[in-house]
Amino acid sequence: EMMENRGAASCSKCHQTLEHPYQPIIMCYDDERDYGIQMSTCHQCLKYYCANCTDEDGNTYLNDCYTCERRYCKECCATKAGCASCPSKFCPGCLHHNCTNCNAEMCDFCYLEDFGPCDECKLNWCSECNGIDDLYVRHCHTCGVSRCCRECSEKEGVNGVHKCHRCDLQSCDECRMKECQNGNNTCPFCLQMIAPLLFKEIKRLKNRNRSLGRRIQTLEYDKVMLQTRLRGVENRR
């Protein structure tokens, strides 16, 4: 009722009457109550702006923070913080990640989805630093989960991510080996890349077989001893 009784509002720049100045942008829900901000209102100065008014660069007067979803006008300019890896704008304090190399701020999406962190060393880099050869974090295109920087990918015992220069497949070692073993990947260069892993896997299986063989011998011995005891018990009866 209060919203219905509020008077008309106009754009502070062009003075055009706004059609729905008090329409909220829903941010979250709590016990069926909506929390949000008004669509045409600056969060700081509370002035109204329409969607048609733009500045000299063609940008609208109201800018969204992609983290908290608050809107600020150009005069308040609170959304001046930018992600180093994407063009999105944010409120100061709404960027929670930093590039390990240059300390530039990164948004949650770029940090979690596009540019890191490395599964092994847990370091991450912005889009610019991510192009440096000794820092670049590769993503496995097969499982879409594994990430590993170039330095960690060369370490022994690490599920590194490598790119084949023949078939352009960028995959982690585990996925590449599974694809080759299943016959889904017949690239000779990929087979060459996983050859050391196959040798290690064969060695591991041989060691496991020897361990199982010793275990079987122990169980056979225990079986004979148990049968001997049972016969002794039956003879005493």
Side-chain angles (χ1 to χ4, degrees):
E1 184 178 353
M2 291 179 60
M3 300 292 288
E4 295 177 356
N5 293 333
R6 296 183 68 174
S10 59
C11 174
S12 299
K13 187 173 186 296
C14 67
H15 306 293
Q16 178 182 352
T17 301
L18 300 177
E19 185 175 355
H20 301 289
Y22 311 119
Q23 181 177 354
I25 302 175
I26 304 303
M27 294 171 58
C28 59
Y29 302 91
D30 181 17
D31 297 332
E32 299 182 355
R33 293 176 296 177
D34 299 336
Y35 292 85
I37 57 173
Q38 294 175 4
M39 183 173 294
S40 303
T41 310
C42 172
H43 180 80
Q44 184 168 333
C45 67
L46 302 181
K47 291 182 179 180
Y48 300 107
Y49 291 94
C50 66
N52 298 323
C53 287
T54 57
D55 57 17
E56 58 274 10
D57 297 325
N59 300 318
T60 58
Y61 258 69
L62 287 177
N63 297 304
D64 295 319
C65 172
Y66 283 79
T67 298
C68 67
E69 298 184 10
R70 293 173 179 171
R71 288 190 167 189
Y72 295 89
C73 67
K74 183 182 178 182
E75 281 73 17
C76 293
C77 199
T79 54
K80 61 182 178 181
C83 174
S85 299
C86 71
S88 303
K89 298 297 181 181
F90 300 85
C91 298
C94 280
L95 291 172
H96 309 299
H97 309 284
N98 295 87
C99 172
T100 303
N101 190 51
C102 68
N103 204 39
E105 293 181 315
M106 299 172 60
C107 66
D108 293 343
F109 181 83
C110 289
Y111 174 77
L112 297 174
E113 300 294 335
D114 291 337
F115 299 102
C118 171
D119 294 338
E120 183 66 17
C121 64
K122 308 302 181 184
L123 302 180
N124 64 283
W125 297 272
C126 65
S127 58
E128 182 175 353
C129 295
N130 207 25
I132 302 176
D133 288 343
D134 59 343
L135 298 179
Y136 181 59
V137 177
R138 298 186 180 101
H139 294 67
C140 177
H141 293 169
T142 304
C143 65
V145 176
S146 299
R147 303 175 183 178
C148 200
C149 66
R150 292 187 176 182
E151 182 179 355
C152 291
S153 292
E154 303 305 323
K155 294 181 180 179
E156 186 175 356
V158 174
N159 183 30
V161 180
H162 301 88
K163 183 175 182 179
C164 177
H165 298 290
R166 176 70 176 272
C167 66
D168 290 333
L169 174 64
Q170 182 169 293
S171 181
C172 66
D173 295 334
E174 293 181 357
C175 289
R176 193 185 307 273
M177 186 163 62
K178 290 179 181 178
E179 291 290 311
C180 291
Q181 289 176 332
N182 296 334
N184 298 326
N185 186 351
T186 58
C187 173
F189 284 75
C190 286
L191 292 172
Q192 185 177 359
M193 291 172 66
I194 67 168
L197 299 176
L198 290 176
F199 289 138
K200 291 181 181 179
E201 181 67 12
I202 293 173
K203 184 177 180 180
R204 185 187 69 83
L205 291 176
K206 287 182 177 179
N207 292 334
R208 184 182 179 185
N209 287 338
R210 283 194 292 267
S211 177
L212 290 175
R214 290 191 295 267
R215 178 61 176 165
I216 291 174
Q217 291 178 354
T218 302
L219 292 175
E220 289 289 347
Y221 176 79
D222 293 341
K223 176 183 176 182
V224 173
M225 294 299 296
L226 182 59
Q227 289 174 344
T228 302
R229 292 179 181 178
L230 288 175
R231 284 195 296 268
V233 172
E234 292 175 357
N235 292 334
R236 285 195 294 270
R237 290 179 181 177

